[in-house]
Amino acid sequence: MNKLITSLLVTLSLASCTNIKTKKEEDNSTKLPFFGLAGKLQLPQTKMLPPTFDITKFGAIANDSKDDTEAIQAAINAAENAGGGTVLIPKGRYVVLSDVSTKVIEINHSNIHIKGEGQGSDGSIIVSMNPRTQHKDEFPWLSPSVFHTGLKIHDTYSFYDIKDQKEKHKVQKDTPKGNNIITIDSTEGIKSGDVILIGMQNLKDQPSLMKKLMNQVKFESFQTSYIQAKEREDWSYQWFTRVSKVIDKHNIELTHALRHTLETKYNASVVKMPMLQNITFSNLRFESTWKGGYVHHKTKEFDYGWSAIALNRVINGHIQNITIHNYTQGVQLVNSCNSTIEDISITGIPGHYSVKLYHSNDNLFQNINVEAERTHGPSIEGASQGNVFRLFTFKTPQPLDLHGLGGIGFMPPMNNLFEQMSNVIAVMGGAAPQNTPHAGPGNVFYNIEMTGKKHGKYLEVFHSWIYQTPDKFKIEKRDDCHIQYIGSKVIGVYNTNKTLTVDHKVNNILNKEVMVQDLNQKPKTASLFLSQKEALLK
């Protein structure tokens, strides 16, 4: 690996774990974000074995045509009433969601494990009979999943937003990124283990916070969600993390170091964010009766109606050894953090997403086998940072999707890692025009084998439909699509047979728009994530 990159791995690993006392921030163009704390946290575990609630004891019958939704829900409710437990789904086929409604199987208590006995065709199989397409016009993309957490905390018609919270704790002094201690007006009501949402607000009498977050990129006239953020006084910066310790009446220590400097001139504030914790799914197979015929954006059902699992408002979740067959969406995370999703197979008919993440931080997706064709590969949207997507395998070439703001006023994805993938087309973001650019600074693409997106005679790493359909927006056609992913870092992205380019260039690039290092060369160190994690442990 290039010496510069190696030194950055170690430097960032150490810097992100300690309080940085520098008064002036250094240039960010060569800095790599720290990802070593993505995934489940190592929290103290109870020594008591949780009780087990077998769904067949609550009326579920395997391999018949009777609907088992109520029986499964009853077993979960019993586990919740006991303060947590394992809900066992024995081998067999269990029919759910036979009615036409938005009713789903809910989990509204911490410490619940939904456990099957195998993800194969002879394992524990949940068969969904009907879609759960959102009936309202707002937020169809948040249509309920078969299993859906946290619905008593927050519904499926909006995202958690600091602007809606009445009781805010004001940050008392500017705090540089890299610090993990912040000073607020009062720590009353906050305790160790709480999750807090930290926000900064655009203000009319201050320079645009949104433009600052976006490296002062020039917005196109149609990118109104960005342009109008200052006038609307949107809370564009929103990031949540766990409190590791309440130090005194004014100071709290965070599990994760700040990824951006908190500035009091932008009304930097903190609110508590109620969450579920320790939600687990394992050893299950999901099937559906969906007949397919998928066409992108043809109907809400095709895009969002068939979804298996949604972790909504969860910290320390774990989804492992799951097969999802004939669904348009696989796993969704909404307003969740520090969860691990691994060893997942997406099979069957074509659909919309493999995994999707909205406004979530520091989650780990790994060992994801995508056999089914998808419009978007792994997809990330809204105020999401510190997430790691690694070891994805695609049977058919699929793009990496960074999907813009995820709602008016929020910032787009920043500081996320995609690594160790093959059969990737390119970085190809979606989103409505007003919600682009597709991404903000700090997203890292490392050790990825790409086919590249054809732009004339060039095979580009970045593609934006905004720049490549200029007539619709009355702009010139452009190949510098990396600007729509401002501040990205491309390291060791390669094609074994052909030459990839970034804005028609193959050489290293270093500026505020993009960092390109060792294009068309496979890096010697396979995983940036593991390198940082190992440096942290040392």
Side-chain angles (χ1 to χ4, degrees), residues 26-31 487-489 510-512 514-515:
E26 298 178 23
D27 174 55
N28 291 321
S29 57
T30 61
K31 295 266 186 174
S488 292
K489 302 176 191 299
L510 183 58
N511 54 45
K512 73 174 185 178
V514 68
M515 168 185 168

Side-chain angles (χ1 to χ4, degrees), residues 101-344:
S101 70
T102 56
K103 184 178 181 180
V104 294
I105 301 170
E106 297 188 25
I107 299 173
N108 289 298
H109 194 285
S110 296
N111 305 312
I112 300 296
H113 182 184
I114 309 298
K115 181 180 180 181
E117 295 183 333
Q119 67 184 113
S121 57
D122 61 346
S124 301
I125 305 170
I126 302 295
V127 183
S128 180
M129 303 300 290
N130 282 292
R132 286 302 185 251
T133 314
Q134 200 97 290
H135 289 301
K136 292 186 178 181
D137 290 335
E138 298 89 353
F139 288 77
W141 42 89
L142 292 183
S143 293
S145 299
V146 177
F147 284 87
H148 208 110
T149 71
L151 290 176
K152 289 185 178 179
I153 301 176
H154 201 93
D155 60 29
T156 58
Y157 298 110
S158 65
F159 298 112
Y160 193 74
D161 193 335
I162 194 171
K163 74 177 182 182
D164 301 324
Q165 313 311 311
K166 294 180 180 180
E167 296 185 7
K168 300 181 180 70
H169 297 270
K170 293 290 186 70
V171 174
Q172 296 299 291
K173 61 182 181 181
D174 292 357
T175 312
K177 71 176 184 178
N179 278 268
N180 67 339
I181 295 176
I182 61 174
T183 302
I184 58 179
D185 52 13
S186 171
T187 58
E188 184 178 355
I190 297 175
K191 63 181 184 301
S192 173
D194 283 347
V195 174
I196 58 169
L197 175 62
I198 301 171
M200 289 189 287
Q201 183 181 16
N202 289 276
L203 296 171
K204 293 177 183 178
D205 62 350
Q206 295 294 339
S208 170
L209 170 64
M210 182 69 90
K211 284 201 68 113
K212 183 171 186 176
L213 293 170
M214 295 296 289
N215 280 8
Q216 304 296 333
V217 67
K218 181 180 178 182
F219 299 125
E220 304 288 350
S221 60
F222 52 82
Q223 294 173 325
T224 53
S225 293
Y226 287 87
I227 295 170
Q228 296 171 5
K230 179 179 176 179
E231 184 65 26
R232 289 191 306 259
E233 296 194 323
D234 292 331
W235 288 82
S236 293
Y237 184 79
Q238 300 198 37
W239 174 70
F240 55 93
T241 189
R242 182 177 178 272
V243 176
S244 62
K245 183 169 64 174
V246 177
I247 299 171
D248 55 35
K249 293 181 179 180
H250 297 286
N251 294 283
I252 55 177
E253 181 180 283
L254 308 176
T255 303
H256 295 62
L258 295 174
R259 294 187 179 276
H260 290 82
T261 292
L262 297 184
E263 298 185 69
T264 55
K265 72 178 182 181
Y266 291 120
N267 196 20
S269 302
V270 168
V271 298
K272 284 183 63 174
M273 189 171 178
M275 303 283 278
L276 302 180
Q277 62 179 338
N278 302 327
I279 304 296
T280 301
F281 293 84
S282 66
N283 304 314
L284 292 165
R285 180 180 178 88
F286 288 81
E287 296 183 359
S288 81
T289 59
W290 184 35
K291 302 301 182 185
Y294 170 79
V295 176
H296 188 219
H297 288 340
K298 183 177 181 179
T299 68
K300 292 178 184 177
E301 178 186 337
F302 280 6
D303 283 341
Y304 313 111
W306 299 86
S307 178
I309 301 173
L311 291 187
N312 174 46
R313 300 289 289 276
V314 171
I315 181 173
N316 237 42
H318 195 192
I319 302 176
Q320 184 177 32
N321 296 329
I322 305 289
T323 295
I324 299 171
H325 185 72
N326 291 345
Y327 284 76
T328 192
Q329 297 193 120
V331 175
Q332 293 187 71
L333 267 63
V334 183
N335 291 139
S336 293
C337 64
N338 282 108
S339 294
T340 296
I341 292 81
E342 59 187 344
D343 305 318
I344 309 296

